[in-house]
């Protein structure tokens, strides 16, 4: 055979293959929209709220690493530190940059169910991905500087890689599994919780079942594959812990993650025991509404991926009971629970939705909207007219109408009826989750009235920074050269005043004459001259009850739906003192 003939056959073979655009399906396009939805929630306005104290500590570690004279830095999350440290050299140091790495991993988390579409079906994978994209808890974790978002991604990638390797025996998935472990071990203690729960799920899958069929082809290459996988996992682990060999001390930080995780067993004094469970009830209503039906279905059907998700969910719940008060553990319920709901939805809806199912979906959505509006209206007016139950009776009428319609239709065509019921409920939950995610992440991520928030930085901090910058221009003819002393020990102040070379924190010297002094509002400092002060809110650490409460339950529901509350955040205030002779 001549070389011309061989080249002709190769060209013909490539010509017969469809191009990338031709291979795309409607499902692929919908997954692209899911990725866009996740990106909007996670990337828009990353700097809209100031960094919390915990975020500021993470950001300061990255900033100090690049300062002259720094020889070694011990990061709180090696993976977050290494990736953000590199990124900061391109984008600079800002609140958005400090939150960008977790946000990108949050977007990737929402797209991981695409890899399980062969098991879940396209519909099931889409449902899982959509609810992970709009989940309030996964969204707020992805917009928080730290390693928790990376840990969530690594835990779900670990499960995905294990399932794909069990299905295909492809060594690339074994390597992916090892890479997920290497990434997760450098992220946060949350990964250890997810990996331990997956270990419980794997044990139950092997003992209770149903088991996956083990691949039979090329079993002799298993040892070689796992040795390469171990090398890949070790490389990722060492690269992220040492910041690509620029910070060897990071190896100790990775070991500290395991120690921190072990210390979480028992009772946490910082957060109430019930707070993680209340957070799930507040933000992940879909897990409660559809999750119970999904649990009953998978217990009866024995769907492999659904049963694995159920085992993982139970394992996470068990660890939440053992690690009492660790609120970040609630974030692991989202991937486990929505994977279970996705497998349930894929089985009920199937690959084709009948037109009767679409019609019933539209009708039920109108009824659910009627009920939602009237219940909301009742909650709004109940403060002034507690005995007016007109809107409650309208909502009950709508529920009766829906149940009656379902009763008659289910005897005629049960499959399309189930499709309509599930699609309408999922659409309503999607609407609620989107609104809650947007409110929590864009407006209330620093508001302690929200269940997820413990301590938040007040919105006055950027105002304080602008005021100090203005005074620096007026006094030192420079935006940063004014001398500042703070008796308030706060990582937030250290982060936002990092560019001021004359900024110091500590005990106030006797007869201090610094141009600007920051003190707590309750302090009575002794200055070496005359000063004039202005108060600013630094943090919000609790909630002050106020006003008349008709019912705590109704108050809670009004906050959930309308963000109206008689309670107000409890501020932690400080005073900015300006030396009187500089006031002119």
């Amino acid at each position: 055979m001549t070389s011309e003939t061989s080249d002709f056959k190769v060209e013909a073979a490539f010509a017969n293959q469809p191009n990338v655009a031709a291979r795309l399906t409607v499902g692929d396009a919908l997954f692209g929209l899911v990725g866009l939805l996740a990106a909007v929630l996670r990337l828009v306005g990353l700097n809209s709220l100031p960094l919390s104290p915990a975020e500021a500590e993470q950001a300061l570690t990255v900033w100090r690493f690049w300062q002259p004279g720094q020889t070694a830095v011990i990061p709180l999350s090696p993976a977050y530190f290494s990736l953000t440290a590199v990124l900061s050299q391109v984008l600079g140091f800002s609140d958005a940059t400090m939150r960008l790495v977790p946000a990108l991993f949050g977007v990737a988390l929402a797209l991981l169910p695409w890899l399980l579409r062969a098991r879940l079906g396209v519909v099931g994978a889409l449902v899982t991905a959509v609810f992970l994209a709009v989940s309030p808890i996964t969204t707020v974790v992805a917009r928080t500087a730290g390693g928790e978002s990376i840990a969530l991604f690594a835990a779900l990638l670990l499960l995905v890689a294990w399932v794909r390797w069990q299905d295909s025996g492809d060594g690339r998935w074994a390597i992916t599994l090892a890479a997920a472990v290497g990434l997760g071990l450098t992220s946060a203690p949350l990964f250890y919780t997810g990996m331990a729960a997956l270990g419980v799920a794997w044990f139950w899958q092997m003992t209770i079942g149903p088991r996956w069929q083990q691949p039979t082809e090329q079993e002799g290459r298993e040892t070689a594959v796992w040795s390469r996988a171990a090398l890949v996992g070790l490389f990722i682990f060492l690269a992220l812990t040492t910041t690509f060999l620029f910070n060897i001390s990071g190896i100790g930080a990775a070991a500290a993650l395991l120690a921190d995780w072990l210390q979480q067993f028992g009772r946490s004094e910082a957060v109430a025991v019930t707070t993680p469970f209340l957070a799930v009830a507040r933000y992940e209503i879909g897990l409660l509404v559809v999750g119970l039906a999904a649990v009953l279905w998978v217990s009866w059907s024995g769907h492999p991926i659904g049963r694995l998700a159920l085992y993982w969910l139970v394992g996470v719940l068990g660890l939440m009971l053992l690690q009492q008060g660790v609120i970040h553990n609630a974030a692991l319920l989202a991937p486990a629970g929505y994977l279970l709901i996705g497998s349930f939805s894929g089985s009920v809806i199937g690959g084709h939705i009948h037109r009767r199912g679409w019609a019933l979906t539209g009708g039920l959505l109108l009824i659910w909207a009627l009920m939602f509006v009237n219940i909301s209206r009742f909650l709004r007016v109940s403060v002034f007219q507690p005995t007016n139950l007109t809107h409650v009776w309208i909502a009950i009428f709508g529920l009766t109408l829906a149940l009656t319609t379902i009763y008659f239709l289910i005897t005629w065509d049960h499959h399309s009826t189930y499709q309509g019921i599930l699609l309408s409920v999922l659409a309503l939950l999607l609407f609620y989750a989107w609104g809650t995610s947007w409110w929590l992440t864009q407006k209330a991520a620093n508001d302690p009235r929200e269940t997820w928030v413990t301590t938040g930085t007040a919105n006055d901090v950027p105002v304080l920074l602008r005021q100090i910058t203005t005074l620096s221009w007026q006094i030192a003819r420079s935006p940063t050269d004014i001398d500042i002393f703070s008796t308030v020990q706060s990582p937030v102040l250290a982060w936002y005043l990092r560019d001021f070379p004359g900024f110091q924190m500590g005990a106030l010297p006797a007869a201090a004459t610094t141009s600007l002094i920051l003190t707590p509002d309750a302090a009575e400092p002794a200055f070496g001259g005359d000063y004039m002060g202005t108060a600013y809110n630094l943090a919000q650490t609790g909630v002050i009850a106020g006003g008349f409460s008709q019912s705590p339950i109704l108050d809670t529901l009004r906050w959930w739906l309308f963000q109206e509350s008689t309670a107000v955040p409890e501020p932690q205030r400080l005073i900015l003192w300006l030396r009187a002779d500089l006031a002119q």
Side-chain angles (χ1 to χ4, degrees), residues 48 74 134 205 212 223 251 276 306 320 414 416 507:
S48 59
I74 301 178
V134 301
Q205 190 89 22
W212 264 276
T223 303
I251 296 178
M320 287 175 64
H414 67 277
S416 60

Side-chain angles (χ1 to χ4, degrees), residues 51-323:
L51 297 185
S52 68
E55 290 180 288
E57 290 181 2
Q58 300 271 7
L60 279 171
T61 306
V62 176
W63 178 76
R64 287 168 179 158
F65 176 70
W66 293 110
Q67 301 312 300
Q70 288 288 345
T71 57
V73 172
I74 301 178
L76 300 175
S77 168
Y80 167 81
F81 172 82
S82 297
L83 297 174
T84 306
V86 174
L87 196 63
S88 65
Q89 297 307 292
V90 180
L91 302 178
F93 297 97
S94 67
D95 291 359
T97 302
M98 295 302 107
R99 290 168 171 160
L100 184 56
V101 168
L104 294 176
F105 275 98
V107 175
L109 174 74
L111 294 176
L112 277 180
W114 181 80
L115 299 174
L116 293 176
R117 64 194 183 281
R119 279 281 181 179
L120 294 171
V122 174
V123 172
L126 275 171
V127 169
T128 304
V130 167
F131 278 92
L132 282 178
V134 301
S135 162
I137 290 183
T138 61
T139 302
V140 73
V141 168
R143 291 175 63 91
T144 302
E148 284 75 17
S149 180
I150 304 173
L152 278 180
F153 172 82
L156 185 56
L157 179 62
L158 178 62
L159 181 142
V160 169
W162 185 82
V163 170
R164 292 298 300 266
W165 180 72
Q166 291 289 316
D167 283 342
S168 65
D170 191 336
R172 289 174 296 183
W173 290 110
I175 295 174
T176 304
L177 187 150
V181 172
L183 174 65
L185 293 179
T186 64
S187 58
L190 181 63
F191 177 75
Y192 285 96
T193 303
M195 188 168 60
L198 281 174
V200 172
W202 173 82
F203 175 77
W204 284 346
Q205 190 89 22
M206 294 296 102
T207 55
I208 302 175
R211 293 189 180 187
W212 264 276
Q213 275 192 332
Q214 296 292 334
T216 56
E217 58 184 23
Q218 297 180 343
E219 292 182 355
R221 295 179 57 189
E222 182 176 349
T223 303
V225 167
W226 283 111
S227 62
R228 291 198 302 272
L231 288 175
V232 171
L234 181 62
F235 172 79
I236 292 176
F237 176 81
L238 292 176
L240 294 178
T241 51
T242 63
T243 315
F244 312 102
L245 300 180
F246 283 101
N247 186 35
I248 304 300
S249 60
I251 296 178
L257 295 179
L258 177 58
D260 292 341
W261 180 71
L262 293 174
Q263 291 176 359
Q264 290 176 353
F265 284 91
R267 173 73 177 90
S268 173
E269 299 298 333
V271 182
V273 174
T274 57
T275 299
F277 300 96
L278 292 176
V280 175
R282 163 70 175 101
Y283 304 113
E284 306 296 343
I285 293 183
L287 294 181
L288 304 179
V289 174
V290 187
L292 180 60
V295 168
L296 295 176
W297 166 80
V298 78
S299 301
W300 170 74
S301 66
H303 191 275
I305 189 69
R307 187 68 67 87
L308 179 63
L310 176 60
Y311 294 152
W312 191 21
L313 185 68
V314 173
V316 173
L317 287 171
L319 286 169
M320 287 175 64
L321 293 174
L322 294 175
Q323 297 177 323

Side-chain angles (χ1 to χ4, degrees), residues 174-534:
I175 295 174
T176 304
L177 187 150
V181 172
L183 174 65
L185 293 179
T186 64
S187 58
L190 181 63
F191 177 75
Y192 285 96
T193 303
M195 188 168 60
L198 281 174
V200 172
W202 173 82
F203 175 77
W204 284 346
Q205 190 89 22
M206 294 296 102
T207 55
I208 302 175
R211 293 189 180 187
W212 264 276
Q213 275 192 332
Q214 296 292 334
T216 56
E217 58 184 23
Q218 297 180 343
E219 292 182 355
R221 295 179 57 189
E222 182 176 349
T223 303
V225 167
W226 283 111
S227 62
R228 291 198 302 272
L231 288 175
V232 171
L234 181 62
F235 172 79
I236 292 176
F237 176 81
L238 292 176
L240 294 178
T241 51
T242 63
T243 315
F244 312 102
L245 300 180
F246 283 101
N247 186 35
I248 304 300
S249 60
I251 296 178
L257 295 179
L258 177 58
D260 292 341
W261 180 71
L262 293 174
Q263 291 176 359
Q264 290 176 353
F265 284 91
R267 173 73 177 90
S268 173
E269 299 298 333
V271 182
V273 174
T274 57
T275 299
F277 300 96
L278 292 176
V280 175
R282 163 70 175 101
Y283 304 113
E284 306 296 343
I285 293 183
L287 294 181
L288 304 179
V289 174
V290 187
L292 180 60
V295 168
L296 295 176
W297 166 80
V298 78
S299 301
W300 170 74
S301 66
H303 191 275
I305 189 69
R307 187 68 67 87
L308 179 63
L310 176 60
Y311 294 152
W312 191 21
L313 185 68
V314 173
V316 173
L317 287 171
L319 286 169
M320 287 175 64
L321 293 174
L322 294 175
Q323 297 177 323
Q324 300 176 13
V326 181
I327 192 170
H328 280 103
N329 286 344
L332 280 168
L333 292 177
Y338 289 127
L339 192 61
L340 173 62
I341 291 174
S343 60
F344 167 66
S345 302
S347 177
V348 172
I349 297 175
H352 174 71
I353 303 175
H354 197 275
R355 61 177 180 273
R356 287 191 293 270
W358 285 118
L360 180 59
T361 299
L364 289 178
L365 275 177
L366 292 176
I367 296 177
W368 304 148
L370 174 71
M371 294 174 58
F372 181 81
V373 168
N374 279 276
I375 292 175
S376 301
R377 185 61 180 167
F378 167 74
L379 293 173
R380 181 64 69 87
V381 304
S382 61
V383 178
F384 312 102
Q385 301 175 355
T387 59
N388 186 358
L389 301 179
T390 303
H391 299 289
V392 175
W393 291 116
I394 295 175
I396 293 175
F397 170 76
L399 178 61
T400 304
L401 177 62
L403 293 177
T404 303
T405 303
I406 291 171
Y407 174 78
F408 283 105
L409 289 180
I410 204 169
T411 58
W412 178 34
D413 185 354
H414 67 277
H415 181 64
S416 60
T417 304
Y418 291 148
Q419 287 180 333
I421 296 171
L422 184 56
L423 282 172
S424 64
V425 171
L426 292 177
L428 183 66
L429 293 172
L430 178 63
F431 169 78
Y432 177 82
W434 168 270
T436 304
S437 293
W438 188 263
W439 160 255
L440 176 63
T441 56
Q442 299 291 333
K443 302 293 184 181
N446 61 347
D447 192 332
R449 289 175 292 183
E450 285 292 342
T451 309
W452 188 261
V453 182
T454 53
T455 299
T457 299
N459 293 328
D460 278 3
V461 170
V463 179
L464 171 65
L465 178 61
R466 289 194 294 269
Q467 180 62 37
I468 292 176
T469 303
T470 300
L471 292 173
S472 181
W473 272 114
Q474 294 173 354
I475 297 170
R477 300 295 186 267
S478 165
T480 59
D481 285 345
I482 194 169
D483 54 325
I484 311 168
F485 197 95
S486 174
T487 64
V488 181
Q489 302 284 340
S490 170
V492 173
L493 291 178
W495 167 251
Y496 284 105
L497 298 177
R498 66 190 181 276
D499 292 328
F500 290 79
F503 171 69
Q504 301 179 64
M505 282 197 302
L508 186 66
T513 58
T514 309
S515 299
L516 298 177
I517 299 177
L518 294 165
T519 66
D521 65 338
E524 296 182 0
F527 300 140
D530 293 332
Y531 281 79
M532 52 193 304
T534 305

